[in-house]
């Protein structure tokens, strides 16, 4: 298991899907291919396959141990999902819970699940099937969800979204069951404190309720950014947005803001989908940013 300690917080990476390859022009249809050619010398082969013209990604959960509690940041895709318009997420059968167990985490040990946003590859293991009904996977946890996302993706509100049918069934099988069980905490405003070291703050654009989790412990700083970035290309080219952003302009603004904060505070950046080292320190590079150093795990 990849583990690192920052101050009094221990972080472990639990990967659900490794080595996922997605067509570049499908994921980033509005991004000039020239950007990928310009940066392929450092993106390939870990993050971009020039020959296949594919973006490489992983789906992972961050396990945080802080103040005696176990906290999950996002829960991946989940098994046995019906995703007719996102077939890459459909009918998976992974050993995610086994991977959690290897990290020393049983479902009943989890105290908090932080949902950075409510896309299907971030909330899937919120629930699991019990006698053909979706039930909370983590029976003792509170699931922390931005109210803005809860309202936006709730099909009862009939909001027209950019993602459209790609989100079919996600709210119903991965969000509504934990809400019915009384385990959701719907937060709003400018922050939500998880504990003395961890604070959730809004970073809308990818979705209306997209959030980042700031870690501050002693002199150490980190930020878990969910889908603020899908590829390291967006560190060098922060105005490049994937097709998954509900509001590309706002997502770009938030990406620049968070990257700037990360660079200025020498913080580790933890996106949800970077394979390889998975996390990095960044530095300012004129009006853009660059990788200063990739994370070193123990």
């Amino acid at each position: 298991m990849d583990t690192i300690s920052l101050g009094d917080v221990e972080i472990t990476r639990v990967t659900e899907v490794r080595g996922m390859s997605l067509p570049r022009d499908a994921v980033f249809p509005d991004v000039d291919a020239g950007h990928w050619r310009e940066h392929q010398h450092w993106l390939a082969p870990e993050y971009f396959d020039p020959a296949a013209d594919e973006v490489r990604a992983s789906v992972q959960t961050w396990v945080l141990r802080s103040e005696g509690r176990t906290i999950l940041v996002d829960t991946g895709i989940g098994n046995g999902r019906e995703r007719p318009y996102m077939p890459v997420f459909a009918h998976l059968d992974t050993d995610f819970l086994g991977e959690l167990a290897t990290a020393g985490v049983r479902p009943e040990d989890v105290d908090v699940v932080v949902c950075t946003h409510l896309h299907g590859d971030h909330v899937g293991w919120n629930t699991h099937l019990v006698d053909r009904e979706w039930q909370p996977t983590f029976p003792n946890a509170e699931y922390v969800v931005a109210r803005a996302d809860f309202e936006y993706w709730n099909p009862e509100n009939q909001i027209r979204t950019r993602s459209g049918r790609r989100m079919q069934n996600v709210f119903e099988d991965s969000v509504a069951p934990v809400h019915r069980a009384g385990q959701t905490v719907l937060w709003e405003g400018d922050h939500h404190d998880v504990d003395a070291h961890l604070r959730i703050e809004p970073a809308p654009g990818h979705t209306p309720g997209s959030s980042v989790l700031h870690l501050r412990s002693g002199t150490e700083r980190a930020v878990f950014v969910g889908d603020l970035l899908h590829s390291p290309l967006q560190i060098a080219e922060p105005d490049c947005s994937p097709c998954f952003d509900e509001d590309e302009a706002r997502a770009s603004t938030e990406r620049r803001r968070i990257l700037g904060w990360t660079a200025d505070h020498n913080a580790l950046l933890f996106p949800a989908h970077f394979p390889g080292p998975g996390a990095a320190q960044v530095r300012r590079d004129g009006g853009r940013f660059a990788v200063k150093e990739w994370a070193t795990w123990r």
Side-chain angles (χ1 to χ4, degrees), residues 112-129:
V112 181
V113 175
V114 174
C115 300
T116 62
H117 62 292
L118 297 185
H119 277 167
D121 54 332
H122 291 257
V123 298
W125 280 103
N126 284 2
T127 60
H128 65 148
L129 276 176

Side-chain angles (χ1 to χ4, degrees), residues 6 46 107 179 198 213 225 232 266 282 292:
L6 298 178
E46 196 82 69
H179 189 62
L198 302 169
L213 178 69
V225 300
N266 200 35
V282 303
K292 179 180 177 181

Side-chain angles (χ1 to χ4, degrees), residues 247-258:
D247 184 334
E248 289 190 3
R250 197 171 187 187
S252 177
T253 297
E254 289 299 305
R255 191 157 41 247
R256 284 185 172 276
R257 181 178 70 84
I258 297 298

Side-chain angles (χ1 to χ4, degrees), residues 18 29 40 55 84 116 118 131 151 158 192 203 217 222-223 231 241 251 275:
R18 293 176 175 84
Q40 71 178 33
V55 177
T116 62
L118 297 185
D131 295 330
E151 300 296 343
Q158 298 184 3
H192 174 84
S217 182
V223 59
S231 166
S241 289

Side-chain angles (χ1 to χ4, degrees), residues 137-206:
T137 303
F138 309 105
N140 300 317
E142 62 179 28
Y143 290 71
V144 183
V145 176
R147 184 178 293 276
D149 250 27
F150 186 88
E151 300 296 343
Y152 187 75
W153 296 112
N154 188 340
E156 293 181 0
N157 294 330
Q158 298 184 3
I159 295 173
R160 291 178 62 87
T161 70
R162 184 183 185 189
S163 295
R165 295 185 297 182
R166 289 198 299 260
M167 285 287 287
Q168 184 167 315
N169 299 330
V170 172
F171 191 93
E172 293 91 331
D173 64 38
S174 299
V175 181
V178 295
H179 189 62
R180 286 195 299 269
Q183 291 181 235
T184 53
V185 174
L186 301 182
W187 70 277
E188 51 193 323
D190 60 4
H191 73 275
H192 174 84
D193 288 330
V194 177
D195 63 21
H197 303 302
L198 302 169
R199 168 172 286 193
I200 310 171
E201 297 179 356
H206 180 61

Side-chain angles (χ1 to χ4, degrees), residues 22 30 66 81 169 256 269:
L22 302 169
D30 302 325
S66 176
R81 309 289 151 157
N169 299 330
R256 284 185 172 276
L269 178 77

